[in-house]
Amino acid sequence: MDNIDMELEKLYSKYGYMPPIFSNIDERWGMGMNDIYGYYGYVDRIEVCRRDTLEIVETISIKE
């Protein structure tokens, strides 16, 4: 399991599963959302935001 998978698993346990809905790289990377939260994957980080306000609630750095 690589860093992206581990970080997504942590996010899912904290904010609930967020199925991927768009990805430029592969099915687990890009963006996903559930009813309350969404995540956005970038090259160096993952940002989690509330869907209703788009307020960023957490930013996680991705280490290579």
Side-chain angles (χ1 to χ4, degrees):
M1 184 178 283
D2 61 18
N3 285 340
I4 296 169
D5 289 327
M6 289 189 313
E7 294 301 337
L8 286 175
E9 286 299 317
K10 289 178 194 175
L11 290 178
Y12 295 158
S13 68
K14 190 172 184 178
Y15 300 106
Y17 179 64
M18 295 177 271
I21 60 169
F22 173 77
S23 177
N24 286 330
I25 299 171
D26 65 33
E27 65 184 34
R28 70 206 165 117
W29 192 237
M31 74 185 259
M33 56 185 60
N34 60 25
D35 291 338
I36 300 170
Y37 297 100
Y39 75 85
Y40 302 90
Y42 299 95
V43 173
D44 61 343
R45 69 193 184 284
I46 299 172
E47 293 182 346
V48 179
C49 70
R50 289 190 55 87
R51 286 186 63 187
D52 57 352
T53 63
L54 297 180
E55 173 189 0
I56 296 172
V57 295
E58 186 168 354
T59 300
I60 296 153
S61 295
I62 302 296
K63 298 174 186 170
E64 299 271 338

